[in-house]
Structure formats: C-alpha cells, structure tokens
Amino acid sequence: MGDTKRVLFRIQTNLMRIIFFVYEHLDGFVIVHGTDTMSYTASSLSFMMEELGKPVVLTGAQKPMAEMRTDAIDNLQGALVIAGTLIIPEVALYFNRRLFRGNRVMKTDAQDFHAFSSYNMEPLIKMGTEINCNWDLIWRSQKPTKFSISHGWNPNVALLRIFPSITATTVRSFLQPPIRGVVFQSYGAGNGPSNREDIIREIKVAIARGVFIVIISQCQTGIVSSAYAAGAAFAQAGCVLGADMTPSALAKLSYVLGLEGLTATQRKELLETNIRGELTQADLTKFSLSNSTFLQSVADSMKASTEAEIHLIKASLFPCLMCSAAKEGNFQGIKKLKEDGGDYSMTDYDGRTPLHIAAAAGHELLVEEMLLDGCPVHKKDHTGCTPLTEAIKNKHFQIIEMLRNAGAVLKCSQQQTCNELMMNVVGNDLDAITAWHAGGADLDASNYDGRTALHIAVARGAEDIVRFLISQGCDPERKDNFGRTPMSEAAEQEEIIELLEWGLSMKDPPPNET
C-alpha cells in the first residue's frame, strides 16, 4: 500500500467498502499494511465496521519481504491462518506471533521484531507450536444484526499531551474551531493541572462551545480515575474520563462525533461506554479460574491443583456440557457455564457449537438469547454446516429469520444447493424447499447437467412445487446441457404448462427492436 504515513481516510473507507462487497463470500480478511500507522488504521476500522462477525486482521513487517531475515513471511502466514480458521469477530493486528485487538495496540519499537504491544490487555492469541486463543477476551457484539459500515466520521479531532509548563494560550489555541474533539494525555491516573484555573477555564469554555475532551493517561499501563483531586478536576469540568484507552481514543472520538442525530449527552455516554472492547469499564466483572465454583469443585475431586490442569478440565468438559444444555433448550444452564468460563465457540466432537445444536433442535428462545449474548453465527462444523444450514434442514423458519438478521449467510456451492433442492423435489417436500429459499438459496441453481429444481419438479408433475418455484421467479426457459427447458419437460401436463406460461408472462418483456 505504499508509504502508509500518508494513508488517508479515503483509503480506509475503500478498504471497508471492498470488505463489505465481498463479506458474504469469504470467511476472513487480511490487510497488509505499513507498520508506522497500522495501529491507527486498525483502531479506525474497528469503530467504522459495525456488527462484525468475521476476522479482519492487519499485518506488516519490520523488514521487507525481499530482504534476508525478514519477518514478513511469518507475519503474513500467521495472519492468514487466523483469518481463515478462527471465528474472531474483531478488527485485530497480528505481529510477531501475537494477535492484538485493533483498538488496544500501539507500535512501541521501531527496530525490534516485537514491535507492537497492548499494555492494558493480554493478546487475543499467542502463536507457538499451537494456537493459544484466549476466548474469554474475544469481543462479541450483543446486537444480532447484519454487518454494516459507518459512513459518518469527523476528522476534526486532535491529541494534546499535557506538560507542567503548558500555557493557557496554547490550550486555548488548540481548542479553537474547527476542532470538535480533543484527547488529552494527562499524568498518571488522569491527573492534570488542577491548580491552574486558567487552563481549567479554557477547558470549560471549549466544552460549553460543544467540544468533547477525553482524558487518557500518558502511562502505558493503568486507568484514568477521578480518585485523585487532580483527576476529579477534569471530570468536574465536563471532560470524559477515558479509562484505559490508548490513543485509539482519537478514532473513537472521530466515530462518535460522526454519528448523526445524537445529543451531546448521548455522545458523551457513548464515549464513556465500551462499544468495541476499547476500554475496561469498572463495573464489568470478568471470569477467572479462581472464582469458578463448578470448575474448582471438579478440580478438587480430581486432585487438580495447577491452572494448566484446570484448563484441561475446562477444555474437556465444557463443550459437552454446553452442547447438552443447548440440546435441552436450557439457556440458564448455558448462561451459568458461560459465567464459569465456557464459550460459545466451544465445539463437540463433530465441530458443532451450542448454536448449531439449538438451531437444529428448534429452540427459538434459546437461539434468540444466545444471539443477543454475542454468539457467533458463521462457525462451520466438520461437515461444513453452519447454524443456518441446520435451521434450514430442520425447517425452523423463525430461527432462519433470526440467524439471517444476525448476519448469517448460506455457505453452499451452487451444486450443493441444487442437490438439496432436487432431493426435496423428489420427496415432494415443499416446506423444505421453502426453508432453503428463506435461508437465501438460489432456487435456479443448477447441477452438473445444468438442470434445476424446476426441471425436476416439472418432470415429476409436482404441481405445488412448480407453482412455488415459478412464483419466486424461476426461469421456465432455462436450458440444461442437453437443450431441454422446464417447458419442454411439461409434455401434456396442461396445469403445469399453464403455470410455466404464467411464469413467462411475468418475465421482463424484451427491449423494442430498432
């Protein structure tokens, strides 16, 4: 991508649009990027890509691929493996065998291969002889809606680092229009010049004028707090305390200010809220092995004492328990297991997740609750089936609709789709064909002979199925590889011929010849 020091918002927008247009056809995405501004792009994309359900991984290299001892090959291979095999619905940055959340990472070394760090959060993945994924940290949206991109973005934001001798004139100049938002890097836990009434006055004037000010720390680790008087002065002046956000707060500020139709209060609430995993909210509690009653009880009975042993117990028991609870439609059981360290990405021996099983069993309320809790919808089992495929095969129409609204896409080849439709035609199962259509199947899909479900339905005299296929726009004049059309298959079946002629009448008339 060239010298990414000159990467513009336009390029980031183009990246998003490319991903959006091919999103349904691919399992993950890798963006090769220069390292100097890669963390800024990762942070920006993490906010601009909404309800992401697939991995978007940025990577680069300290030394170009053509040079000896390059790190480019290792970084690119690792990024491709992660994007192609794991369902991590985040914008992330992969470097030196570590995967970091895109809005939590910073470049910290200009020469070492270990160039990126995420001080306030562990890496999502540590790559060694095995891929060790910290599933407890994976961010999942709790809005079961389709992937979209945000077109709102306000570039009028800036970063100001506080220092002891900074003048009120400097602060005033920095806060002048067209600036709409500023990230202040303060001392320690959010401490600032509380004894500088002139600076506090300039901050209050700017906030009254509609400028949003977010306070983050100059320290690499720690959290901004109003516990100290100096930190409380910023909060009392109307600033937003940015918790443990990195300079990625700039990207969040641009995103929030670019959203239309929000009041100042709503924007401030969004800035204080964890919307993409970019900050740690003090009132959120995270699971740890030490406070899991169930796991600890099992560990005690098995005389397991180390954390590694407890992790092995968890990996062995929890997938079976969560899938069993899903089969019974027991959301409270799944919820308790999840609180004890379970994860919706856990699979049974067939690679099926709890959502696969709940969708197949038709537990509508359970599926709805799991989707609201951020359950991934794109996971494939060992046969290539997704939860959407399971819902289709079992004709659970309400679940099909919920999954599609949550962004699920039917991942079958044209020939696979055609084979399923043809088997249902042979079985005279109109409900099954309707389910495949509701799931997004192409009813005009053809097999290796070029024949479609309509060819077979006409040949077998399945009038109800023919009526449905025609009503959904299937082509009565579609030729197979032998030149036969559904119309030619109809022979003397008068009622079916009438249906096919009805289908022909609904087709767009040919353009007038000149």
Side-chain angles (χ1 to χ4, degrees), residues 359-379:
H363 296 308
E364 296 176 7
L365 293 177
L366 176 58
V367 170
E368 183 179 13
E369 292 292 340
M370 291 170 72
L371 292 176
L372 288 171
D373 201 28
C375 187
V377 298
H378 300 290
K379 187 82 171 178

Tab-separated table of all heavy atoms in Angstrom, residues 359-379:
chain	number	residue	atom	x	y	z
A	359	ALA	N	-30.121	-24.509	17.019
A	359	ALA	CA	-30.795	-24.220	15.750
A	359	ALA	C	-31.407	-25.484	15.156
A	359	ALA	O	-32.516	-25.457	14.613
A	359	ALA	CB	-29.809	-23.597	14.766
A	360	ALA	N	-30.693	-26.605	15.259
A	360	ALA	CA	-31.207	-27.870	14.732
A	360	ALA	C	-32.408	-28.359	15.535
A	360	ALA	O	-33.350	-28.936	14.985
A	360	ALA	CB	-30.106	-28.923	14.739
A	361	ALA	N	-32.373	-28.121	16.852
A	361	ALA	CA	-33.451	-28.597	17.721
A	361	ALA	C	-34.669	-27.680	17.704
A	361	ALA	O	-35.738	-28.056	18.195
A	361	ALA	CB	-32.936	-28.738	19.148
A	362	GLY	N	-34.517	-26.478	17.163
A	362	GLY	CA	-35.655	-25.570	17.064
A	362	GLY	C	-35.959	-24.793	18.327
A	362	GLY	O	-37.101	-24.356	18.527
A	363	HIS	N	-34.961	-24.580	19.174
A	363	HIS	CA	-35.175	-23.829	20.417
A	363	HIS	C	-35.080	-22.327	20.121
A	363	HIS	O	-34.015	-21.713	20.235
A	363	HIS	CB	-34.151	-24.241	21.471
A	363	HIS	CG	-34.257	-25.676	21.894
A	363	HIS	ND1	-35.440	-26.236	22.319
A	363	HIS	CD2	-33.322	-26.665	21.949
A	363	HIS	CE1	-35.243	-27.513	22.622
A	363	HIS	NE2	-33.970	-27.795	22.405
A	364	GLU	N	-36.194	-21.735	19.749
A	364	GLU	CA	-36.201	-20.345	19.286
A	364	GLU	C	-35.752	-19.362	20.364
A	364	GLU	O	-34.936	-18.468	20.109
A	364	GLU	CB	-37.604	-19.974	18.791
A	364	GLU	CG	-38.049	-20.764	17.569
A	364	GLU	CD	-39.471	-20.444	17.162
A	364	GLU	OE1	-40.064	-19.511	17.760
A	364	GLU	OE2	-40.000	-21.118	16.252
A	365	LEU	N	-36.290	-19.509	21.574
A	365	LEU	CA	-35.944	-18.576	22.650
A	365	LEU	C	-34.464	-18.672	23.004
A	365	LEU	O	-33.804	-17.658	23.253
A	365	LEU	CB	-36.808	-18.848	23.883
A	365	LEU	CG	-38.303	-18.546	23.726
A	365	LEU	CD1	-39.062	-18.917	24.999
A	365	LEU	CD2	-38.517	-17.068	23.409
A	366	LEU	N	-33.938	-19.895	23.008
A	366	LEU	CA	-32.523	-20.085	23.320
A	366	LEU	C	-31.643	-19.447	22.244
A	366	LEU	O	-30.668	-18.756	22.552
A	366	LEU	CB	-32.208	-21.576	23.443
A	366	LEU	CG	-30.734	-21.934	23.667
A	366	LEU	CD1	-30.189	-21.262	24.914
A	366	LEU	CD2	-30.558	-23.449	23.756
A	367	VAL	N	-31.992	-19.674	20.972
A	367	VAL	CA	-31.220	-19.069	19.879
A	367	VAL	C	-31.247	-17.551	19.993
A	367	VAL	O	-30.216	-16.879	19.845
A	367	VAL	CB	-31.774	-19.521	18.513
A	367	VAL	CG1	-31.148	-18.712	17.380
A	367	VAL	CG2	-31.509	-21.006	18.298
A	368	GLU	N	-32.416	-17.002	20.279
A	368	GLU	CA	-32.534	-15.542	20.406
A	368	GLU	C	-31.651	-15.011	21.529
A	368	GLU	O	-30.932	-14.020	21.355
A	368	GLU	CB	-33.991	-15.164	20.663
A	368	GLU	CG	-34.226	-13.661	20.748
A	368	GLU	CD	-35.682	-13.309	20.969
A	368	GLU	OE1	-36.478	-14.211	21.310
A	368	GLU	OE2	-36.027	-12.123	20.811
A	369	GLU	N	-31.674	-15.680	22.683
A	369	GLU	CA	-30.861	-15.239	23.820
A	369	GLU	C	-29.370	-15.370	23.517
A	369	GLU	O	-28.567	-14.500	23.880
A	369	GLU	CB	-31.212	-16.057	25.068
A	369	GLU	CG	-32.601	-15.806	25.623
A	369	GLU	CD	-32.749	-14.407	26.206
A	369	GLU	OE1	-31.728	-13.773	26.519
A	369	GLU	OE2	-33.891	-13.942	26.336
A	370	MET	N	-28.983	-16.441	22.844
A	370	MET	CA	-27.573	-16.635	22.515
A	370	MET	C	-27.092	-15.575	21.527
A	370	MET	O	-25.972	-15.068	21.642
A	370	MET	CB	-27.353	-18.042	21.949
A	370	MET	CG	-27.530	-19.141	22.984
A	370	MET	SD	-27.567	-20.793	22.260
A	370	MET	CE	-25.870	-21.007	21.792
A	371	LEU	N	-27.933	-15.226	20.564
A	371	LEU	CA	-27.554	-14.185	19.605
A	371	LEU	C	-27.419	-12.834	20.303
A	371	LEU	O	-26.501	-12.061	20.007
A	371	LEU	CB	-28.588	-14.100	18.481
A	371	LEU	CG	-28.646	-15.298	17.530
A	371	LEU	CD1	-29.779	-15.128	16.528
A	371	LEU	CD2	-27.321	-15.484	16.798
A	372	LEU	N	-28.321	-12.557	21.232
A	372	LEU	CA	-28.235	-11.304	21.988
A	372	LEU	C	-26.987	-11.273	22.867
A	372	LEU	O	-26.504	-10.202	23.228
A	372	LEU	CB	-29.486	-11.124	22.855
A	372	LEU	CG	-30.779	-10.788	22.105
A	372	LEU	CD1	-31.974	-10.850	23.041
A	372	LEU	CD2	-30.688	-9.401	21.464
A	373	ASP	N	-26.470	-12.457	23.185
A	373	ASP	CA	-25.275	-12.552	24.027
A	373	ASP	C	-23.993	-12.619	23.198
A	373	ASP	O	-22.923	-12.913	23.722
A	373	ASP	CB	-25.386	-13.790	24.926
A	373	ASP	CG	-24.491	-13.691	26.153
A	373	ASP	OD1	-24.211	-12.562	26.603
A	373	ASP	OD2	-24.060	-14.745	26.660
A	374	GLY	N	-24.112	-12.364	21.885
A	374	GLY	CA	-22.920	-12.287	21.044
A	374	GLY	C	-22.439	-13.599	20.473
A	374	GLY	O	-21.273	-13.720	20.080
A	375	CYS	N	-23.300	-14.607	20.394
A	375	CYS	CA	-22.891	-15.912	19.871
A	375	CYS	C	-22.539	-15.807	18.383
A	375	CYS	O	-23.291	-15.229	17.603
A	375	CYS	CB	-24.029	-16.907	20.075
A	375	CYS	SG	-23.592	-18.596	19.661
A	376	PRO	N	-21.399	-16.377	17.945
A	376	PRO	CA	-21.004	-16.289	16.530
A	376	PRO	C	-21.904	-17.134	15.638
A	376	PRO	O	-22.276	-18.252	15.998
A	376	PRO	CB	-19.567	-16.826	16.529
A	376	PRO	CG	-19.485	-17.709	17.730
A	376	PRO	CD	-20.389	-17.100	18.754
A	377	VAL	N	-22.235	-16.615	14.452
A	377	VAL	CA	-23.172	-17.302	13.558
A	377	VAL	C	-22.487	-17.943	12.353
A	377	VAL	O	-23.137	-18.648	11.581
A	377	VAL	CB	-24.262	-16.325	13.052
A	377	VAL	CG1	-25.079	-15.794	14.205
A	377	VAL	CG2	-23.652	-15.181	12.247
A	378	HIS	N	-21.185	-17.714	12.173
A	378	HIS	CA	-20.511	-18.177	10.955
A	378	HIS	C	-19.715	-19.468	11.142
A	378	HIS	O	-19.112	-19.959	10.199
A	378	HIS	CB	-19.556	-17.094	10.443
A	378	HIS	CG	-20.238	-15.801	10.116
A	378	HIS	ND1	-21.087	-15.655	9.053
A	378	HIS	CD2	-20.202	-14.589	10.729
A	378	HIS	CE1	-21.540	-14.414	9.006
A	378	HIS	NE2	-21.023	-13.749	10.014
A	379	LYS	N	-19.701	-20.023	12.330
A	379	LYS	CA	-18.878	-21.201	12.612
A	379	LYS	C	-19.360	-22.413	11.813
A	379	LYS	O	-20.556	-22.703	11.752
A	379	LYS	CB	-18.950	-21.514	14.110
A	379	LYS	CG	-18.015	-22.602	14.582
A	379	LYS	CD	-16.630	-22.080	14.827
A	379	LYS	CE	-15.749	-23.125	15.503
A	379	LYS	NZ	-14.375	-22.644	15.698
